[in-house]
Amino acid sequence: AQQKQRFLRPLLRADEFWCQGFSEPGAGSDLASLSTRAVRDGDIYRVNGQKVWTTMADQADWMFALTRTSASGRGSEGITYLLISMHSAGIKVRPLRDISGGTHFAEVFFDDVEVPVENRVGEEGKGWSIMRTSLGHERATAFLADEFKHRRTVEQVLDLLVDQNLDSDPLVRQDIARMESGVRAIAANSARALDAVLRGEDPGGVASVNRLVKSESEQHMHTLA
């Protein structure tokens, strides 16, 4: 209750900006192999390690992060979910410049960063299930915006095809049908995921399927363009 009182209103109002500290140099798709350590020292955790591909970390006030608090157990066991102030002593953020010249991602380094125990979400060592819930809800709600973004992009691709007099080509029309089917699949899966959230259920499965559908649809759409 205290965490909700402290964090939710400024988060919803965008008075405080957050980033996600999950991926690491050696733990991307295999997230459970993360190695950032959080060692309990009285009323604080001392955090050491690194996160990477952290979106807009250079602008964030806070990070919700996965840390390893126990060397025992296997895989996802011993992982703890912490809320870390990005203004803490010992945090260094290095933006990563992508091929377009943008710096949307960053590396984040933790050097003996002190995090109050009261900033732990859930029980120590039980952060993996919280992370799965976080990702499921993130994808379920983000896909609603993706649906409109994809619809707009599809219309731009169609305008491009018409301008170049390619819209009567039967093979191109087949690609157009596939592109339209992809957008409608994203919309349908987004509705299913949101429905699960509103029923208080875990949208993880539907959200993961939609992540795959969205990725394949984007690749086809850009190839066609």
Side-chain angles (χ1 to χ4, degrees):
Q2 291 87 347
Q3 290 173 344
K4 292 179 182 179
Q5 181 68 28
R6 163 62 185 86
F7 292 113
L8 290 185
R9 183 173 177 81
L11 188 157
L12 290 170
R13 288 173 50 86
D15 292 332
E16 291 178 338
F17 191 74
W18 287 72
C19 63
Q20 174 179 285
F22 288 177
S23 297
E24 298 184 6
S29 55
D30 181 19
L31 187 55
S33 63
L34 65 90
S35 59
T36 295
R37 299 279 304 183
V39 178
R40 180 76 178 262
D41 182 10
D43 292 333
I44 65 170
Y45 287 100
R46 296 190 180 277
V47 180
N48 288 276
Q50 178 187 357
K51 299 294 180 180
V52 73
W53 308 121
T54 307
T55 305
M56 295 183 172
D58 57 329
Q59 301 178 38
D61 301 297
W62 288 86
M63 170 190 284
F64 53 95
L66 293 181
T67 62
R68 189 164 292 284
T69 49
S70 173
S72 61
R74 299 176 57 189
S76 60
E77 297 177 9
I79 292 176
T80 299
Y81 198 106
L82 296 179
L83 309 180
I84 304 175
S85 170
M86 294 296 287
H87 306 293
S88 303
I91 289 184
K92 180 180 179 181
V93 178
R94 186 172 71 181
L96 296 171
R97 192 170 301 280
D98 61 30
I99 195 170
S100 70
T103 53
H104 306 291
F105 304 106
E107 293 178 290
V108 182
F109 300 89
F110 303 92
D111 183 9
D112 211 31
V113 176
E114 297 184 3
V115 180
V117 171
E118 66 187 27
N119 284 8
R120 183 186 71 215
V121 179
E123 300 178 35
E124 183 173 299
K126 303 295 184 182
W128 187 257
S129 61
I130 300 172
M131 178 277 299
R132 290 184 66 248
T133 302
S134 295
L135 283 181
H137 282 75
E138 171 199 333
R139 291 170 178 172
T141 53
F143 284 143
L144 293 175
D146 285 342
E147 175 187 340
F148 295 109
K149 180 185 72 174
H150 278 71
R151 170 56 61 195
R152 185 171 63 252
T153 308
V154 163
E155 290 173 355
Q156 291 173 336
V157 175
L158 287 173
D159 289 341
L160 182 65
L161 292 169
V162 171
D163 288 343
Q164 298 190 10
N165 297 315
L166 295 172
D167 52 311
S168 59
D169 185 308
L171 292 179
V172 171
R173 293 175 70 87
Q174 183 172 307
D175 270 327
I176 292 173
R178 179 181 169 190
M179 185 171 60
E180 177 66 25
S181 298
V183 175
R184 296 194 183 195
I186 291 170
N189 280 326
S190 297
R192 290 172 60 205
L194 181 60
D195 186 56
V197 171
L198 295 177
R199 292 198 308 268
E201 299 175 359
D202 183 359
V206 176
S208 294
V209 168
N210 213 21
R211 180 67 177 268
L212 176 62
V213 170
K214 184 173 79 75
S215 297
E216 292 180 340
S217 178
E218 280 186 342
Q219 290 176 10
H220 172 256
M221 184 162 52
H222 287 286
T223 298
L224 176 59

